[in-house]
Amino acid sequence: MSLNTDLADLFAQFAAIMEIKGESPFKAIAFSKVSRILKDMTFDIRKVCEEGKIGEIEGIGKSSCAIIEEFVRTGRSTDFDEVAASVPAGLLPLLDIPGLGPKTIALVWKQRGVTNLEELVKAIDSGALAGLKGIGAKKVESIKQGIALRSQASQRLGIGEAMPIAHGLVERLRQHKDVAHAEIAGSLRRKRETIGDVDLICALSPAGSGPAVSAAFVQFPEVQRVLGQGPTKASVLTAGGLQVDVRIVPAENFGAALLYFTGSKDHNVKLRGRAQDAGLTLNEWGLYRVSEYDKAAKKTAEAPPVKPVASRTETDVYKALGLAYVAPELREGRGEVEAAVAGTLPTLIEEADIRGDLHSHTTASDGSATIEEMAEAAMARGYKYLAITDHSKSQVIANGLTAERLLKHAAAIRKVSDRLRGITLLAGCEVDILADGHLDFEDAVLAELDIVIASPHIALKQDADKATDRIVRAIENRYVSVIGHPTGRLINRRAGLPLHFERVFKAAAQTGTALEINAGYPRLDLNDVQARGALDAGCWLSINTDAHATDQLGSIGWGIDVARRAWASAARVVNCLSEEKLLEFIRKKRSE
Ligand SMILES: [Zn+2]
Ligand SMILES: [Zn+2]
């Protein structure tokens, strides 16, 4: 489906360039609509083209069809290339800066001659943007923040981008005849939300050759540039500029290498400390007795010539250190080694524990599937319940529902639910938390629903006091069962509300309001540290995908990753409850 994404990006850029140029606004609107259609499409555009059915898709006009067909055939669009060439090339990357839209870019270009990022930074620093209509001090400040976010983002890639690339490479390694097994290591294995580079560890089969594996690795199709290559390691850049390092070790040292290169540094320091206390030493090759190790050569380029106490698997090493196995997501030096000693590590939540999704959208607002289609997709995942929570009226761009439409929609949801066996649909709503904490619907309307999620979508630059008052106020509404994406942040793109979390957690725990880990990438909101804070404060969590299309229900795994990093067990997540218990949870708050 990456062709769909590529085309969606092309149309979005097309629309933006036309807006920058200030020509044919209707075409710009049409193109951005095509971009959205392509993004939400659940079928492969190439197939549609090949079947000659592209003209049948609603909302894609003639000129867009021609562009799509050419792109499918040749991988480019002459129309786009022509339009792109008519504005300075340095303006296009500016579109990626959060808070900087085509209108502003057009202004700084036409009025101040800015043609690239460097000139924009200079113009901001020298105050040259002063006096531009619509660009006040506040706007300049937000552009500045956007540039800072962007430069951070360019150094660290989101897990959602990095994981598929790493998976592809590790799968190829596993297929090599000289490889016994291969795993992703590093922060990616720990499921951190952003990563600097990818580490892969691969164990040789008994007669396997390191140089052969290394040589094959640098030839993989994802590889753009080779940074280094030797008999036991190789380092490359992939097409997207992601650095990937592979280390090739004998199978008997695999566990120790995987442990060492998975990190984190803090976790490894604790493990080494524990080894030392026991007269042992731990390195990337294995766990050794100090007395024997010190006599042997201390070259780290190859395995030391003494027999390790443990090295083949991670479990072996932990066991030899007197510890239970520590899941990679916990290895952050946040108390997990102490818990492993005490035997108090949590039983972490797994994807199979999820019994339903409490946050999803349909064509009634800005989703791309009907009630039935979403229900069937949820059933196919083995879910027992699905809450349909379309947007409320303030979300005009998202086709938010008026109270009247919402109640009709709820009736339609219940009708489908009655007809289906094996799954219950909850008629709900994702009601906007307005800037002052009021909700977008009266209580009398919310009372008609089975479940209410309240989420912030607008005014995400409030100060901490205001933002906290706002969210706490929403929590205090008896009809609100879940706070959706509580901060509104987007990884690498938007910082979100700077909440005083202790106050939010306290209110949520007291009222029995679940806080969401929004699993939709790039939200992942709450993040790992916040979610752990919520658990420590006694809050319930809810892990939801916020699916706007049937296949997006599958993104629950990103949320599970965050929850595991937060030490969450299934017992603390409301959508791991049985339907009966979940409804009881909702009722309890409403009756208090
Ligand atoms: Zn939302
Ligand atoms: Zn939503």
Side-chain angles (χ1 to χ4, degrees), residues 7-73:
L7 266 167
D9 288 348
L10 180 99
F11 276 99
Q13 281 213 9
F14 215 141
I17 294 171
M18 311 202 50
E19 258 193 89
I20 291 174
K21 292 182 70 173
E23 291 167 9
S24 34
F26 293 111
K27 227 171 173 180
I29 292 170
F31 281 173
S32 51
K33 192 169 163 205
V34 172
S35 170
R36 265 202 314 277
I37 293 173
L38 285 162
K39 221 195 258 156
D40 290 342
M41 205 176 267
T42 51
F43 39 86
D44 192 350
I45 190 76
R46 184 188 301 278
K47 238 175 116 196
V48 181
C49 269
E50 281 164 3
E51 289 165 357
K53 286 187 179 158
I54 182 140
E56 292 169 21
I57 301 172
E58 216 188 292
I60 301 189
K62 262 212 180 104
S63 61
S64 303
C65 281
I67 292 168
I68 292 172
E69 278 164 345
E70 186 191 355
F71 193 85
V72 168
R73 229 177 29 247

Side-chain angles (χ1 to χ4, degrees), residues 359 361 391 430 455 457 485 523 546:
H359 186 168
H361 297 266
H391 286 290
E430 180 180 14
S455 316
H457 291 109
H485 46 76
R523 283 197 185 274
D546 198 355

Side-chain angles (χ1 to χ4, degrees), residues 19-20 94-95 97-106 139:
E19 258 193 89
I20 291 174
L94 298 186
L95 287 166
I97 295 171
L100 196 56
K103 283 205 184 75
T104 310
I105 295 174
K139 179 78 190 166

Side-chain angles (χ1 to χ4, degrees), residues 543-591:
I543 308 170
N544 305 310
T545 60
D546 198 355
H548 284 66
T550 50
D551 61 342
Q552 289 174 7
L553 287 170
S555 63
I556 192 79
W558 301 123
I560 302 284
D561 290 344
V562 175
R564 289 171 65 89
R565 286 179 58 80
W567 294 48
S569 61
R572 305 293 301 279
V573 176
V574 284
N575 49 318
C576 294
L577 294 173
S578 67
E579 182 189 334
E580 199 181 313
K581 287 264 167 62
L582 171 70
L583 294 178
E584 204 180 296
F585 170 82
I586 296 168
R587 257 196 315 267
K588 188 157 180 261
K589 180 175 175 186
R590 289 188 177 198
S591 65

Side-chain angles (χ1 to χ4, degrees), residues 1 6 71 99 131 147 169 177 211 216 261 272 287 305 309 319 371 480 484 488 509:
M1 300 290 274
D6 290 349
F71 193 85
I147 293 171
L169 288 167
K177 67 174 176 43
F261 289 107
R272 281 202 295 274
L287 182 66
V309 177
K319 209 170 153 194
I371 300 168
V480 172

